[in-house]
């Protein structure tokens, strides 16, 4: 059992936690089947609420063959709605990132999920292509809960466990994209079996994801906790946390080029996953002449792979960092995402059903694991603007999804198989910028750390604060974070530093 003093008060009585913690009270262990407050309870609230949002946002695609007949909508209408479902979350994820930095993930996440829930229920009432477009657009805003999910994990778990925590929470949340492909056709069939017509059954089916999303939001609001020591508001009032300003957070994040690269590259791992969730059931239904249930089961396997693939990416990121440091995280991310591009191209080229299913599953493992590897890097880009950097990266995922669907899956310009092939080429091209990421104290894929004396963790993160702010001691939590990040040097360069040590320059 671990215990460490409060964030801003070293002399305060230590608080005890069920998990061992570091100097920031972040857990240094990850117990998957524990519900201990606050670390593991936060984990379970986070992934389930995000899971519910994913189910709602992609509840329509598996029922599209029925919905398009009922509403007389065209392939162009379907393409536009698919784009709408992921485009709204672009801005929403940026806003969510800022909200997490300023008011905390609990209020930010629960508020957004509750606000978007009515659109899920209203799907049962739509009667035209316009209203179909509108409900998919509004429901898609809930996907911004991903940012609070990742912010929460990075706030609750030590750098040695942040990869696996981020990976499992987001992976199990993304699992909703596969679960809904399986669940919605089954719910539809059950409602029809009870005696409903097919054009009524698909409408009633949308109440199931609506209830799930409502439950997720209430759980986060009632049971959630922003940080290990409490909620943002309480910690600010007691002086244990600094209330930051939006403009300072924004400037700090936007001037860090690493955040822009992670946003671009995430657009072609998570963004691709979103695009595939929108088209994969219809692709198998039309190309291989399958029935709705069979196409849904095959499509579900793509999203269901998130149960192990994205967590596997997070685990791999932590394992590589333990041996090779940050350079290991970057190399792992680039290799895995590039392999995802190769298998995506192969999926578009194959004409055999059995081979297509096999390649799709392998493709899903690589592209989803790349998402976990990406968010093994994101928490180290900035300490002060963690939420906004997470939001920029998450928003980049949605931008990638929008661009991919606009370019390859809108209308009839390309067949689904050609669109998938070209999407694979885009993955390969947009993964290359990972090679440009370099941390002065850790290095990058091709270059080692800087030889300058001031190239260390303390100076990198302390640079986010002005001299005046440092004089007030506002950066002290950042110093603790820097000390806990020394493991990113890799096994050969790791130096043991006392947890209470304070560098001379601060």
């Amino acid at each position: 059992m671990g215990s460490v003093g409060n964030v801003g008060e070293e002399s305060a009585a230590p608080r005890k936690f069920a998990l061992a913690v570091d100097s920031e009270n972040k857990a240094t262990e990850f117990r998957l089947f524990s519900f201990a407050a606050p670390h593991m309870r936060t984990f379970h609230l986070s992934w389930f609420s995000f899971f519910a949002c994913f189910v709602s946002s992609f509840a329509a695609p598996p029922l599209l063959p029925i919905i398009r007949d009922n509403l007389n909508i065209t392939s162009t209408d379907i393409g536009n709605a698919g784009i709408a479902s992921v485009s709204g979350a672009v801005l929403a994820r940026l806003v969510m990132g800022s909200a997490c930095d300023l008011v905390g993930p609990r209020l930010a996440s629960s508020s957004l999920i509750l606000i978007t829930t009515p659109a899920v229920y209203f799907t049962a009432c739509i009667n035209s292509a316009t209203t179909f477009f509108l409900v998919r657009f509004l429901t898609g805003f809930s996907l911004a809960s991903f940012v609070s999910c990742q912010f929460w994990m990075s706030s609750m778990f030590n750098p040695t466990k942040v990869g696996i925590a981020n990976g499992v929470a987001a992976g199990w949340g993304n699992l909703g994209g596969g679960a809904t492909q399986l669940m919605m056709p089954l719910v539809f069939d059950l409602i029809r079996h009870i005696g409903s017509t097919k054009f009524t059954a698909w409408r009633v089916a949308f109440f199931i994801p609506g209830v799930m999303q409502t439950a997720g939001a209430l759980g986060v609001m009632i049971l959630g906790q922003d940080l290990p020591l409490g909620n943002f508001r309480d910690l600010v009032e007691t002086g244990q946390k600094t209330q930051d300003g939006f403009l300072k957070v924004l400037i700090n994040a936007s001037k860090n080029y690493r955040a822009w690269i992670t946003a671009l590259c995430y657009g072609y791992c998570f963004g691709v996953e979103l695009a595939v969730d929108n088209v994969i059931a219809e692709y198998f239904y039309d190309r291989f002449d399958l029935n709705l249930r069979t196409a849904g089961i095959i499509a579900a396997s793509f999203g269901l792979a998130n149960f192990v693939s994205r967590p596997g990416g997070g685990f791999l990121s932590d394992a590589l960092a333990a041996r090779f440091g940050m350079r290991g995280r970057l190399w792992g991310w680039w290799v895995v995402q590039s392999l995802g591009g190769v298998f995506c191209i192969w999926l578009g080229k194959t004409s055999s059903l059995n081979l297509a299913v096999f390649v799709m599953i392998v493709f899903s493992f690589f592209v989803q694991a790349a998402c976990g590897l990406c968010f093994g890097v994101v928490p180290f880009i900035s300490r002060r603007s963690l939420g906004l950097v997470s939001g920029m990266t998450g928003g980049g995922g949605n931008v990638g999804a929008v661009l991919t669907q606009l370019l390859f899956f809108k209308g009839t310009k390309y067949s689904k198989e050609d669109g998938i092939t070209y999407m694979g080429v885009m993955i390969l091209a947009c993964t290359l910028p990972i090679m440009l990421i370099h941390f002065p104290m850790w290095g990058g894929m091709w270059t080692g750390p800087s030889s300058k004396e001031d190239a260390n963790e303390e100076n990198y993160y302390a640079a986010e604060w002005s001299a005046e702010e440092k004089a007030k001691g506002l950066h002290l939590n950042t110093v603790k974070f820097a000390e806990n990040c020394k493991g990113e040097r890799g096994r050969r360069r790791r130096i043991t530093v006392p947890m209470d040590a304070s560098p001379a320059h601060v």
Side-chain angles (χ1 to χ4, degrees):
M1 183 174 295
S3 61
V4 177
N6 288 346
V7 173
E9 301 175 8
E10 299 296 335
S11 61
R15 174 177 170 179
K16 295 183 179 295
F17 297 96
L19 277 66
V21 298
D22 63 14
S23 59
E24 293 183 282
N25 295 310
K26 294 181 179 181
T28 57
E29 52 184 331
F30 183 78
R31 301 179 188 172
L32 184 60
F33 300 108
S34 168
F35 290 85
H39 304 93
M40 296 311 302
R41 178 192 290 176
T42 296
F43 162 77
H44 289 292
L45 289 172
S46 185
W47 79 257
F48 178 78
S49 60
F50 183 41
F51 173 89
C53 292
F54 234 99
V55 168
S56 298
S57 296
F58 293 97
L63 299 181
L64 273 177
I66 307 301
I67 296 174
R68 69 188 181 189
D69 291 342
N70 188 190
L71 303 181
N72 294 316
I73 55 179
T74 67
S75 59
T76 299
D77 295 328
I78 293 172
N80 287 335
I83 293 168
S85 70
V86 295
S87 59
V90 175
L91 178 60
R93 288 187 169 197
L94 291 174
V95 174
M96 177 62 79
S98 300
C100 286
D101 282 324
L102 301 176
V103 302
R106 183 181 70 91
L107 285 179
S109 181
S110 59
S111 298
L112 174 73
I113 297 173
L114 282 177
I115 289 171
T116 55
T117 297
V120 185
Y121 293 112
F122 186 72
T123 306
C125 306
I126 61 175
N127 56 12
S128 65
T130 301
T131 51
F132 179 62
F133 177 96
L134 185 61
V135 294
R136 292 220 65 196
F137 175 69
L138 294 175
T139 303
F141 274 81
S142 66
L143 292 176
S145 59
F146 162 79
V147 176
S148 57
C149 170
Q150 300 295 270
F151 180 94
W152 233 346
M153 296 303 94
S154 299
S155 299
M156 287 287 179
F157 292 91
N158 176 268
T160 60
K161 298 297 179 183
V162 73
I164 185 65
N166 273 336
V168 178
W172 285 13
N174 288 351
L175 194 65
T180 196
Q181 298 279 0
L182 186 64
M183 180 183 75
M184 293 304 286
L186 291 176
V187 172
F188 169 80
D189 285 344
L190 177 62
I191 296 171
R192 284 205 66 192
H193 181 73
I194 292 173
S196 177
T197 66
K198 67 177 183 179
F199 287 165
T200 299
W202 76 260
R203 296 175 183 275
V204 177
F206 274 87
F207 280 87
I208 300 302
V211 170
M212 290 178 62
Q213 189 165 319
T214 303
L218 293 177
V220 168
M221 181 173 289
I222 297 171
L223 301 174
Q225 180 174 307
D226 290 318
L227 295 171
L229 289 178
N231 292 319
F232 265 38
R233 182 176 179 179
D234 296 334
L235 295 177
V236 170
E237 288 180 352
T238 59
Q240 298 178 67
K241 187 185 183 309
T242 302
Q243 180 66 63
D244 218 331
F246 171 72
L247 187 59
K248 292 179 179 178
V249 170
L250 176 63
I251 293 174
N252 184 63
S254 60
K255 69 182 183 182
N256 194 321
Y257 79 91
R258 300 167 192 84
W260 295 103
I261 292 178
T262 56
L264 170 64
C265 297
Y266 196 63
Y268 284 89
C269 52
F270 182 69
V272 165
E273 183 179 348
L274 292 180
V276 172
D277 281 334
N278 269 327
V279 303
I280 196 67
E282 190 181 11
Y283 167 70
F284 277 99
Y285 180 88
D286 290 335
R287 188 176 188 195
F288 298 103
D289 196 26
L290 303 177
N291 61 46
L292 185 64
R293 179 181 292 182
T294 303
I297 292 173
I298 293 173
S301 63
F302 178 85
L304 291 174
N306 269 299
F307 186 77
V308 294
S309 56
R310 184 157 183 162
F315 176 80
L316 178 60
S317 182
D318 286 343
L320 289 171
R323 183 171 180 82
F324 304 107
M326 177 57 66
R327 301 181 71 183
R329 292 188 192 270
L330 295 172
W331 267 105
W333 179 18
W334 177 78
V335 170
V336 169
Q337 189 160 321
S338 295
L339 287 172
V342 171
F343 280 94
C344 185
I345 294 172
W346 191 1
L347 176 62
K349 291 295 185 181
T350 184
S351 57
S352 164
L353 174 60
N354 291 335
L355 183 59
V357 173
F358 170 76
V359 174
M360 182 201 70
I361 293 173
V362 178
F363 161 54
S364 69
F365 270 85
F366 280 111
V367 79
Q368 292 161 7
C371 296
L373 283 151
C374 174
F375 269 85
V377 174
V378 167
F380 299 97
I381 291 175
S382 171
R383 172 65 170 81
R384 186 174 190 179
S385 302
L386 171 62
L388 191 50
V389 170
S390 299
M392 290 169 65
T393 304
N398 285 77
V399 170
V402 171
L403 290 177
T404 298
Q405 291 184 189
L406 278 173
L407 290 171
F408 308 130
F409 301 112
K410 185 178 183 295
T412 58
K413 183 177 180 181
Y414 298 110
S415 65
K416 288 289 191 300
E417 52 266 35
D418 286 341
I420 290 172
T421 299
Y422 297 146
M423 181 169 65
V425 174
M426 288 288 286
I427 294 173
L428 291 175
C430 293
T431 301
L432 292 174
I434 295 174
M435 297 181 181
L436 301 177
I437 296 178
H438 182 273
F439 291 89
M441 61 287 194
W442 302 321
M445 283 179 60
W446 299 105
T447 56
S450 172
S451 59
K452 296 181 180 178
E453 282 190 24
D454 62 351
N456 56 53
E457 292 82 1
E458 290 83 358
N459 279 325
Y460 177 82
Y461 292 110
E464 298 181 327
W465 301 85
S466 68
E468 293 77 13
E469 290 171 326
K470 290 178 186 177
K472 297 177 182 178
L474 302 182
H475 68 306
L476 294 180
N477 286 330
T478 297
V479 174
K480 292 182 180 181
F481 178 74
E483 294 296 329
N484 291 322
C485 287
K486 291 188 183 293
E488 295 304 306
R489 297 179 179 185
R491 186 175 296 174
R492 293 181 180 179
R493 297 184 60 249
R494 192 168 301 148
I495 299 174
T496 302
V497 178
M499 298 297 283
D500 60 349
S502 298
H505 74 279
V506 296

